[in-house]
Amino acid sequence: MSSTQDRLRVIGREGLGGVEAGELSWVMNLDDADSPRDVIDALGIAPYVNGVQPHAVSTTLEHVKADASLLPEDARILRSSDDDGYRVTLAVGEGWTLIAQRRTNGTAVLNVCAVTEALAREVVQACSAGATAEAEPDESRISMGFWHLGPQCANRSERTITAAAWPQIEGNYSAEVGTALGRVMAQRPEEISGRLLLLHGPPGTGKTSALRALAREWADWCQVDCVLDPEVLFANSGYLMEVAIGVDAYDDTKRRWRLLVLEDCDELIRGSAKESTGQGLSRLLNLTDGMLGQGRDVLVAITTNENLSRLHPAVVRPGRCLAQLEVGRLSYSESMAWLDRELGDRPRPPVGSAGMTLAELIEARDGGSRVQVAPSSAPVGDGGYL
């Protein structure tokens, strides 16, 4: 395409309604930054915009078979694009338009607009029939939600992550912490008292790993969501309300307990939180046991590197925390036992009297495979540059 913008009118084009625009029309400007997929998106949504096909239905398919066409038998293909394995097809039929997007990870997205909602759902069903394979059971893969505030509204994306079972990683923690975490892993809804789960301690001690294992152990009754921008969450009341209500607010058949994970929230819960974050701390406490949290089965897990003595007293007061755990280093004897188990006959690194963190132990186990360059101590001469 030329560098100057060329106008593409997407109304009344081939097979996309065949009539002039209704009350709403639009023009898409294309330049050399646009791709064939952008053209397909524009053509595919035109019948919905101009009102010829005013009903839209979308769905995402997992484990799509390689030979699945993702098209009804009577489909007529108007456009297709195959960009590095990401294939998009625009097809039409009597009263409907379909954009089928097949991704390299085995998923596909179907977007259908049609003259009636029933027809749109019928097309989705025809595209989906026999298109997916039964997934092999894998208990190590769990669903986790991720929230962030976009330009227009709060957005939640769901992803599949890998998480170890608690018995597999219990030995990564000191005996006292492992026992306490085991009690948390065994919690069930009827046993929940406090709504705040607080993990604090130095970096590299396994706080995030413990939360991933918790998501797996609670998977049958609790949906775990990670908030990517917690500092924004408690500064924006509208965003907080969206997250607190959740995506299942209007469907009681899907409602479960929810655990919101906020990582590295030192400023939010330290002693000076009121001065540094304004209403952030108050809103956090309101979500856990105030008016905002009433009627919603929401738990909040916070990880922090702060020492317990520097945390705000309102956060750690009795009755507020379901668990308050200091996750620290393994002792000397525990570190040696970990290395014996993991290294077998390989040489042991030196272990100080204070023991080692989990990150240091893993580094000692896997350090031989790390690629690194030692910094040079030689001065850079005049005129040298990279």
Side-chain angles (χ1 to χ4, degrees):
M1 295 184 183
S2 65
S3 57
T4 59
Q5 289 187 336
D6 296 321
R7 288 189 170 183
L8 171 67
R9 294 192 175 272
V10 295
I11 300 169
R13 294 291 180 179
E14 46 185 313
L16 296 178
V19 296
E20 294 300 318
E23 296 182 359
L24 181 64
S25 62
W26 65 296
V27 173
M28 179 183 181
N29 293 323
L30 294 175
D31 59 26
D32 53 7
D34 293 295
S35 69
R37 282 189 295 178
D38 297 321
V39 175
I40 289 176
D41 286 341
L43 294 172
I45 202 172
Y48 181 80
V49 174
N50 64 30
V52 174
Q53 296 172 4
H55 302 276
V57 175
S58 299
T59 191
T60 299
L61 304 178
E62 304 282 349
H63 311 291
V64 177
K65 297 177 182 177
D67 59 351
S69 69
L70 300 178
L71 299 171
E73 291 183 359
D74 60 342
R76 181 163 62 94
I77 297 177
L78 299 184
R79 299 284 193 279
S80 67
S81 169
D82 196 339
D83 182 7
D84 195 22
Y86 189 104
R87 184 168 183 82
V88 184
T89 302
L90 173 67
V92 296
E94 186 64 35
W96 57 265
T97 303
L98 163 71
I99 300 177
Q101 306 176 51
R102 184 195 295 270
R103 299 169 177 168
T104 55
N105 62 358
T107 65
V109 178
L110 305 175
N111 295 293
V112 178
C113 56
V115 293
T116 67
E117 182 178 344
L119 178 58
R121 295 190 182 281
E122 182 181 325
V123 173
V124 167
Q125 181 61 34
C127 296
S128 307
T132 59
E134 189 71 26
E136 295 184 5
D138 186 354
E139 294 183 353
S140 68
R141 298 179 65 81
I142 60 171
S143 174
M144 180 175 286
F146 294 88
W147 285 94
H148 73 280
L149 183 62
Q152 303 297 330
C153 61
N155 295 303
R156 180 183 183 273
S157 300
E158 196 161 296
R159 296 289 182 270
T160 299
I161 67 167
T162 301
W166 171 242
Q168 294 175 308
I169 65 169
E170 184 176 2
N172 292 341
Y173 302 88
S174 67
E176 184 178 7
V177 172
T179 299
L181 281 172
R183 291 173 55 193
V184 175
M185 302 287 170
Q187 288 275 322
R188 290 298 177 264
E190 61 275 9
E191 303 169 335
I192 297 297
S193 53
R195 298 293 184 94
L196 186 61
L197 175 59
L198 184 60
L199 301 181
H200 55 98
T205 50
K207 298 184 291 293
T208 299
S209 297
L211 289 176
R212 288 166 59 194
L214 184 64
R216 176 171 172 174
E217 298 297 326
W218 286 5
D220 60 338
W221 62 273
C222 183
Q223 171 63 50
V224 177
D225 285 357
C226 180
V227 179
L228 302 179
D229 47 3
E231 71 286 350
V232 179
L233 177 69
F234 294 105
N236 186 313
S237 58
Y239 180 25
L240 177 61
M241 183 63 69
E242 288 283 338
V243 175
I245 292 176
V247 295
D248 58 357
Y250 306 106
D251 189 348
D252 288 339
T253 64
K254 295 182 179 179
R255 283 184 59 174
R256 299 193 295 165
W257 278 78
R258 293 164 53 235
L259 174 65
L260 301 179
V261 175
L262 317 176
E263 293 196 281
D264 300 325
C265 287
D266 296 8
E267 293 185 0
L268 186 63
I269 60 175
R270 63 164 55 112
S272 59
K274 268 289 188 182
E275 292 74 22
S276 60
T277 66
Q279 291 299 312
L281 176 62
S282 298
R283 288 171 175 167
L284 167 65
L285 302 180
N286 194 19
L287 176 61
T288 56
D289 60 3
M291 294 295 292
L292 181 58
Q294 297 302 309
R296 304 300 298 169
D297 297 328
V298 178
L299 302 166
V300 179
I302 296 179
T303 69
T304 174
N305 298 329
E306 290 284 345
N307 185 279
L308 178 61
S309 63
R310 293 199 291 268
L311 299 182
H312 197 285
V315 175
V316 297
R317 73 156 174 80
R320 177 157 280 152
C321 291
L322 171 66
Q324 177 188 313
L325 305 175
E326 182 171 3
V327 185
R329 307 168 72 88
L330 274 68
S331 67
Y332 173 83
S333 60
E334 290 169 334
S335 298
M336 292 299 296
W338 193 97
L339 291 169
D340 288 341
R341 182 176 69 251
E342 296 292 326
L343 291 180
D345 296 333
R346 287 182 287 167
R348 307 293 191 270
V351 178
S353 59
M356 301 176 74
T357 66
L358 177 60
E360 292 169 341
L361 289 167
I362 293 175
E363 169 69 15
R365 183 192 64 189
D366 302 337
S369 60
R370 184 177 66 173
V371 177
Q372 68 178 44
V373 177
S376 172
S377 59
V380 178
D382 294 340
Y385 62 92
L386 294 178

